[in-house]
Amino acid sequence: MSDDWDTVTKIGSKSGGGATQRETIVRGKAALNAAQRSGAIVATEKKFTAGNASNKSASSEGQRLTKVDRSDDIVAPQKLDTKIAEAIKNRRAQEGFKLTQAQLAQKVNAQANDIKLLESGTAIKNQALLNKVARVLKISPKTGEPLADRH
């Protein structure tokens, strides 16, 4: 039995009919070993909403992963919106910023290639990197609009 907080190991089946064993959650290694010796059905499932259920980004990611898991087709990862990519490119070239991709990458502690992919719109959405870039360029990470100067 793994010590992973995000998995649950269950014994038995969900069917409530007659002589079949009911599903139970394993609480320790001894119960798991006993179930395996008796020949019971043992399944381990990933819990997507473990921990803080109010965390919206985790629950939406869990829903996306469930969709990916249930799909037989290849599901493409989420890409960065082209509007935001253009806003990053334009803002970086504006007077007052005038940063190269390498300089911007150094300011946000990333690779220059990551900035190039962000600006081209081909990058897989990385919200942490997007937030750092938006903070340096003083734009909204959601819309790409310039933020008003706060004093």
Side-chain angles (χ1 to χ4, degrees):
M1 181 173 164
S2 73
D3 293 333
D4 188 9
W5 287 97
D6 295 336
T7 58
V8 173
T9 303
K10 297 180 178 181
I11 301 170
S13 65
K14 289 187 177 182
S15 63
T20 60
Q21 183 182 10
R22 289 196 48 94
E23 184 177 82
T24 58
I25 296 176
V26 174
R27 300 284 182 209
K29 282 192 172 204
L32 178 62
N33 290 338
Q36 288 174 335
R37 280 194 303 272
S38 70
I41 300 168
V42 178
T44 302
E45 298 176 2
K46 182 85 171 154
K47 296 191 303 187
F48 289 114
T49 57
N52 187 3
S54 66
N55 188 353
K56 300 292 184 204
S57 64
S59 64
S60 66
E61 182 63 12
Q63 291 171 353
R64 192 183 81 73
L65 290 175
T66 300
K67 176 184 172 187
V68 170
D69 189 38
R70 291 181 180 163
S71 174
D72 291 336
D73 298 333
I74 296 173
V75 177
Q78 296 173 342
K79 299 283 185 183
L80 185 66
D81 187 13
T82 55
K83 181 179 169 186
I84 297 172
E86 283 296 318
I88 291 171
K89 188 186 311 181
N90 294 338
R91 186 68 168 196
R92 184 179 60 80
Q94 275 183 358
E95 196 66 40
F97 292 101
K98 288 288 186 188
L99 296 168
T100 65
Q101 288 179 345
Q103 289 169 334
L104 180 58
Q106 187 176 13
K107 283 191 174 207
V108 298
N109 196 20
Q111 298 291 321
N113 191 43
D114 293 339
I115 303 300
K116 182 182 97 172
L117 292 174
L118 271 180
E119 290 183 357
S120 67
T122 59
I124 295 172
K125 191 170 185 179
N126 179 349
Q127 195 64 46
L129 178 60
L130 183 58
N131 287 341
K132 289 178 186 178
V133 169
R135 193 176 310 120
V136 169
L137 297 177
K138 298 179 182 172
I139 60 173
S140 167
K142 292 184 179 181
T143 62
E145 298 294 321
L147 298 176
D149 288 331
R150 296 182 212 161
H151 296 287

